[in-house]
Amino acid sequence: MENSCDHHDEDKFLASKTWNKIIDSASKIGYREGIEDGSSTVFQDGFDRGYRDGFKTAFLLGTYKGISDQLTKKLKHPEEIENILSDTKKSVCYLCETQSSADKSSESIVEVENCQSEHYNKISKILQDYFDPILKVNSINPSMLNVHT
């Protein structure tokens, strides 16, 4: 006859083994879900920031291109202004304007973001300095355009 103690030990062993499998499985699933949630949050934050920056840039260029098309049709713009307005895909992009992205591969994303921000501010200032007097001559308050916020 089997000892009751042996049967009890075997039940404890099986229960412990089953419990460890459940905990291991739950840990792996939790880890995977945590990674997915974290990645989704990071990607969404990056997307939101990029969308905001892209919209800000497109709004700036669109506003000044519109001003150029309507208020300065007969005016010959300086070459720098023409270059900025003519190639809007590249004119406010740090990577496009300076060098190819392959040459920038050693820079961290933070460095690229900082350089992009500085480049955007530089281009914005050039356009503002050029177009604000034209706007004032045409009785338009430059601050009404909200392109520098």
Side-chain angles (χ1 to χ4, degrees):
M1 178 167 188
E2 193 176 320
N3 186 345
S4 165
C5 205
D6 289 340
H7 185 62
H8 183 67
D9 287 343
E10 188 177 313
D11 286 347
K12 282 175 74 176
F13 175 74
L14 288 173
S16 175
K17 201 171 177 182
T18 302
W19 177 254
N20 288 339
K21 282 182 182 180
I22 291 170
I23 293 298
D24 186 49
S25 178
S27 294
K28 286 178 183 175
I29 291 169
Y31 180 76
R32 241 181 279 133
E33 288 177 357
I35 292 292
E36 286 178 23
D37 288 348
S39 295
S40 295
T41 300
V42 168
F43 289 137
Q44 187 64 52
D45 290 347
F47 175 84
D48 292 346
R49 187 174 56 248
Y51 188 86
R52 216 176 16 256
D53 291 348
F55 183 84
K56 179 175 143 183
T57 300
F59 186 80
L60 170 84
L61 290 173
T63 299
Y64 284 123
K65 277 188 89 155
I67 291 168
S68 175
D69 289 349
Q70 293 305 308
L71 298 180
T72 63
K73 289 179 184 176
K74 296 177 183 170
L75 183 63
K76 173 76 174 129
H77 300 300
E79 185 178 353
E80 180 179 39
I81 300 299
E82 284 292 335
N83 290 340
I84 291 170
L85 295 176
S86 68
D87 196 355
T88 56
K89 292 177 189 167
K90 293 194 323 187
S91 61
V92 189
C93 174
Y94 162 70
L95 293 175
C96 299
E97 187 73 14
T98 56
Q99 299 174 13
S100 72
S101 57
D103 296 334
K104 297 292 177 189
S105 61
S106 63
E107 293 183 8
S108 73
I109 190 69
V110 173
E111 290 171 320
V112 172
E113 285 177 338
N114 289 338
C115 290
Q116 173 60 38
S117 180
E118 289 172 14
H119 185 69
Y120 170 84
N121 290 335
K122 179 185 114 189
I123 297 298
S124 176
K125 179 84 171 107
I126 291 168
L127 292 172
Q128 180 182 13
D129 290 346
Y130 179 73
F131 280 106
D132 280 3
I134 295 169
L135 291 170
K136 288 176 183 172
V137 164
N138 286 280
S139 302
I140 299 170
N141 181 355
S143 65
M144 297 288 287
L145 299 177
N146 287 327
V147 292
H148 305 291
T149 56

